[in-house]
Every structure is written in C-alpha cells, then in structure tokens.
Amino acid sequence: MEKLFGTFGIRRIVNEVLTPDFALKLAYSFGTYINREIVVVGRDARKHSEMIYDAVISGLLACGCQVIELGLTATPTLQWACRQWDAWGAMITASHNPPQWNGIKFMEKTGKGLDREKDVDVEKIFYSEKYHLVPWTDVPQKTIKRDVNDDYIRAIVAKVNLPLIQQSRFRIVVDCANGAPCLITPQLLSDLGCRVVSLNAHPDGRFPGRNPEPTPDNLTDLTTLITHASFHIGFAQDGDGDRLIVIRPNGEFVPGDYSVSLVANELASQNIPGPIVTTVATSSMLKDIAIKTGRGFLATAVGDLVVAKALQENKGIFGCEENGGMIFPDFVWGRDGAIAAARILHIMATKEKSLDDLLKELPQYFQIKMKKPVNPEKKEKILSEIDRLTSEEENRITIDGYKVFYPDGSWLLIRPSGTEPLLRIFAESRDAERAQAIVQKYIDIINSI
C-alpha cells in the first residue's frame, strides 16, 4: 500500500494528482474513519483551494459528518478552533509550496495533526474504497458557516501584556505572502497598538509578491524596506501562517534557531514545569537554555507534528523547529506564526529591550545549513559510508539521519531527503572555521564516492 500522507497531511500538484475526485475520495476516507462526527474545514488563499475545499466538504457531508466552514483562514486558526470545539479538522493548504501545489491536512480533536497510526487507517479506507456513505435521508442539509478570525485574534491578545505592548508603540513591517495571514497578522498587530506597514497583504493564490516560503532570497522587498525606514522589527510568514520569520531593524534575516531560542529563553525562565521540545536539526541554544533554567530537553525527528506529539506526551512548555516554527502548547497544538509574533513583542515590551539586545543575550553559535545533491544510483552507497564513519564517533544519535556530537560542543547532522536526490547537511560550532571544517570533511567523502 502506497503511503499517501507525508509528515503532516498530503501535498500534490493540482489537477495532476490532487484533483477534485482525489480530494473527494480522501474526504470519504476521513469521513468514514471519524464516523459522522463534526469536522471544522478551512482553506488557504491558493487559486484552487476553494475547488478542493468544496470537494472535501461534499465528501464529508456524504459520510454524514456535520461540517463547520471557516472559509479562508490560517492553519493555526483552524487548529485553535478544533481545540475550542472538540471537533476534527480538515485544512486545505500547501503551506509554503509553490502556487501549483495544494494539500489537505487532517486534524484530531485537539487540533494536532493526525498521528501516523491514524493516517494509516485513513489510507487503508482510501485504497480499499470501503467508504461509509450514509443514506440520502442522513446527509446534512447544510453546513454551519463561522468566521473565527476575530475570536482567534482576541485569544492571542489575551495571552500577552497588552498595556505594555501598546505603550511601546512598536513600528513593524509584516510580509503576509499574499496568503491566509493577510486576514490575521496585520489586524493582530494593530490591535496590539503597533504602527504597521503591510507587504503582500491581499490574498492572491498566484503569489504575485513573492514565493510563499519565507527564505532570505524571497524577502528582499521586506529587507529593503526595513533598511530604508525606521522599524523596531520585521515579520514574514508563509502561505498558511504557521511559521514566522524575524527581520532585524538593519534588515538582517534572523535565523529561525535564534528567533525560537529568544522565545524559549523567556518561557523557560517562568515558574512553569515542562521540558523544551525541538528537533535534532535545531541549535544547541535550546539545550543550553533548558540546562540554565533547570528543565528537561527533548530532541525529536524533524517535523512539527512529531514535536507536537512529544509536547503532548511529555507535557512540554514549548516546542519549535529551526525554520522558525513555534508551538505554544497552552494555545495551539501546532506551529503558530501569529501568536509567535505577539509573544516576541511581549518579550520586547516587558523586558524593555530591543530585538538586537535580546538576541545578544542568547548563546552564540555559528551554523552551516546546506543541501548536497547526490547521484540517486550512489545514494545508498553514500549513506552506508556515512553510517560507517559516524558510527566510529563517540557520541552519535540516529533519530533522524546521522547526528554526531563532538567533545568541543560542535555537531554535524546529515539527513537524506525523502523526496529529492539530496542530503541535508547541518553543522554548528562556537567557531565558524570549525563548523566549516566539519562539513567539508563529509563533503569530500561524498564527492569521492
């Protein structure tokens, strides 16, 4: 049986694989699995999201499920609604993928994405085509339409120190990627009393402003604007609003490891129990913070769903990824870019410190992150040699790929891509030359095979 779902949901190119018929059958499968329960359904701003959205709703209704429609909204907003209403969820989104892609993410009643075991159950129904379509008399006559964006924004505002943020009168520029965050983040920042300039802030599924992935190359308009004006901070999001990237007042891109560590440092200092949870690809800054504050630390395989599950099981205080994804377990069981932005402003206001000063307080590391294309025919031989060489190191873990820790605190991680013929190579050290040397050693080995 072919695996349908990735680390979180399914993503395919529209009308090549992800057709309305394909989406309908997926909805049949999920609707059969949850057996007539309530489902909250939302969509991002992609040109074809409404088409897939309608197909999913039709499939769920055919299975006798009661559907609550949120329409255009951010992924974390839908996850928040699932948790509030104890309802299953279905989000039509391809997150940061290019415009021709779309996807479907199914949520549990907590708002967390489906565990792999539940994914398998849905896949079995999909391939067997043993759908439970209800008699016509049991098909719900209509859906319930709800707009929860304002409720969600108010819930975020209640989580931070509103008076202090208002007094700070922060000047902010935010790039919404022409995606779902257009309906959330500018209003949130305005409600917090900030002076806001918005870029790419009208929903447009063609993404005319920039590619929806918030990488340095895609944020040149934002960095140029913030460089030539007077702002306290810049924010950028992806197409469905679950990630947040931070830009310094001088226009420099803040690596995700640093923005998540800034938030972790503040939360970990509070008298709240629970470990910090992140992935093997994230900086040692998180572990340093956990040790400093006397709390536990857990490293998982890469993937926000894996982090969220570990947070639930271990009652963690905060979860994050090196790409800027932050999970606040007291709010949403998934990455949430909007509350991450509000939380950073809360820290700046309550500590009365600039973004630059807060970043200087963090442990300082040098990082290298790269992709190394490999010949598919040599991939297994290369991985076998990497496995052999890294196994000779004193401290190695294989939670996700091969990660080696060195006595001086430096580390190397090599992970094979599950979808492309390449290796992801990360290294970190307190010395830039040391980080480069660690990577170069393995690049030379890979090139020699």
Side-chain angles (χ1 to χ4, degrees):
M1 184 177 72
E2 181 186 353
K3 183 179 176 182
L4 279 177
F5 297 101
T7 54
F8 190 177
I10 182 172
R11 294 182 202 176
R12 300 290 192 276
I13 294 177
V14 171
N15 281 352
E16 288 187 11
V17 177
L18 185 49
T19 62
D21 184 59
F22 186 90
L24 182 71
K25 291 176 180 177
L26 273 175
Y28 284 162
S29 305
F30 184 61
T32 299
Y33 176 73
I34 64 175
N35 191 23
R36 301 194 186 193
E37 294 202 53
I38 299 172
V39 188
V40 183
V41 185
R43 61 179 175 84
D44 68 13
R46 289 169 185 270
K47 185 178 179 183
H48 29 66
S49 283
E50 192 162 1
M51 176 182 76
I52 303 300
Y53 176 85
D54 289 342
V56 168
I57 289 173
S58 296
L60 293 171
L61 291 173
C63 292
C65 297
Q66 179 64 66
V67 172
I68 301 176
E69 288 192 61
L70 300 188
L72 178 57
T73 195
T75 295
T77 308
L78 181 134
Q79 292 179 284
W80 177 83
C82 290
R83 184 167 175 171
Q84 298 300 307
W85 302 333
D86 192 33
W88 299 90
M91 181 69 190
I92 315 306
T93 181
S95 189
H96 62 268
N97 281 44
Q100 66 270 32
W101 289 76
N102 216 320
I104 304 171
K105 292 181 176 181
F106 293 123
M107 317 291 181
E108 299 183 6
K109 291 182 179 182
T110 60
K112 184 178 72 62
L114 295 187
D115 288 340
R116 179 56 193 158
E117 295 79 8
K118 295 183 177 68
D119 277 345
V120 170
D121 290 337
V122 174
E123 288 171 353
K124 287 178 180 176
I125 297 169
F126 179 88
Y127 285 115
S128 70
E129 298 188 354
K130 293 180 179 179
Y131 312 126
H132 182 223
L133 306 186
V134 299
W136 70 268
T137 52
D138 294 342
V139 175
Q141 187 169 351
K142 60 182 180 180
T143 64
I144 299 170
K145 292 180 172 61
R146 295 281 301 271
D147 183 347
V148 298
N149 291 340
D150 287 344
D151 294 337
Y152 166 74
I153 289 169
R154 283 193 293 269
I156 292 176
V157 172
K159 287 285 185 181
V160 296
N161 192 319
L162 178 60
L164 285 183
I165 296 176
Q166 288 175 324
Q167 290 173 25
S168 300
R169 296 288 290 160
F170 291 121
R171 296 182 301 277
I172 301 173
V173 57
V174 56
D175 185 335
C176 300
N178 298 116
C182 298
L183 303 184
I184 305 291
T185 312
Q187 181 183 329
L188 168 65
L189 298 175
S190 294
D191 289 355
L192 290 172
C194 303
R195 286 170 282 179
V196 185
V197 173
S198 302
L199 295 179
N200 304 315
H202 63 285
D204 188 331
R206 297 166 297 179
F207 302 110
R210 65 168 172 88
N211 185 292
E213 186 167 12
T215 61
D217 289 344
N218 293 331
L219 299 178
T220 53
D221 288 347
L222 172 58
T223 55
T224 299
L225 175 59
I226 200 170
T227 302
H228 291 87
S230 179
F231 292 100
H232 291 97
I233 193 169
F235 293 130
Q237 293 191 264
D238 59 346
D240 71 332
D242 65 351
R243 280 168 57 193
L244 181 79
I245 289 298
V246 177
I247 305 296
R248 293 175 57 192
N250 66 358
E252 286 187 14
F253 183 97
V254 178
D257 298 89
Y258 280 87
S259 58
V260 301
S261 296
L262 186 156
V263 175
N265 195 40
E266 190 262 347
L267 287 174
S269 301
Q270 299 180 17
N271 188 26
I272 305 171
I276 295 171
V277 182
T278 189
T279 75
V280 293
T282 309
S283 170
S284 294
M285 283 186 276
L286 277 299
K287 188 172 185 179
D288 293 346
I289 290 167
I291 292 171
K292 181 185 71 173
T293 54
R295 64 178 64 248
F297 172 81
L298 293 172
T300 71
V302 171
D304 57 311
L305 190 53
V306 184
V307 175
K309 184 176 182 180
L311 276 172
Q312 278 190 339
E313 293 175 345
N314 296 278
K315 298 180 179 179
I317 185 175
F318 179 64
C320 57
E321 297 179 285
E322 52 82 27
N323 61 9
M326 305 187 209
I327 302 175
F328 300 83
D330 64 340
F331 192 69
V332 168
W333 288 113
R335 301 183 303 195
D336 190 332
I339 194 172
R343 194 74 207 182
I344 290 173
L345 297 179
H346 168 91
I347 296 168
M348 292 170 63
T350 55
K351 292 184 177 293
E352 298 183 336
K353 293 182 179 180
S354 69
L355 173 64
D356 287 346
D357 287 341
L358 289 167
L359 292 173
K360 288 175 185 176
E361 294 177 356
L362 298 173
Q364 299 299 303
Y365 287 93
F366 295 93
Q367 300 167 334
I368 294 175
K369 300 178 182 182
M370 63 177 295
K371 299 176 183 178
K372 173 66 176 174
V374 295
N375 185 332
E377 296 178 1
K378 295 182 178 181
K379 183 177 178 181
E380 290 306 316
K381 184 177 180 180
I382 290 171
L383 288 175
S384 177
E385 182 64 7
I386 291 171
D387 182 20
R388 184 186 71 80
L389 290 171
T390 56
S391 67
E392 296 174 355
E393 302 288 352
E394 186 175 339
N395 193 350
R396 182 186 81 153
I397 60 173
T398 55
I399 295 172
D400 190 345
Y402 308 95
K403 185 172 185 178
V404 174
F405 297 91
Y406 298 97
D408 63 355
S410 305
W411 57 262
L412 168 84
L413 172 67
I414 301 178
R415 295 175 52 245
S417 169
T419 57
E420 301 173 86
L422 57 83
L423 301 177
R424 303 183 190 279
I425 304 176
F426 291 13
E428 182 177 81
S429 176
R430 291 191 180 274
D431 179 79
E433 291 184 1
R434 169 67 170 148
Q436 184 60 54
I438 292 170
V439 169
Q440 193 59 51
K441 171 186 173 181
Y442 281 88
I443 294 277
D444 291 342
I445 292 168
I446 294 168
N447 289 338
S448 69
I449 295 175

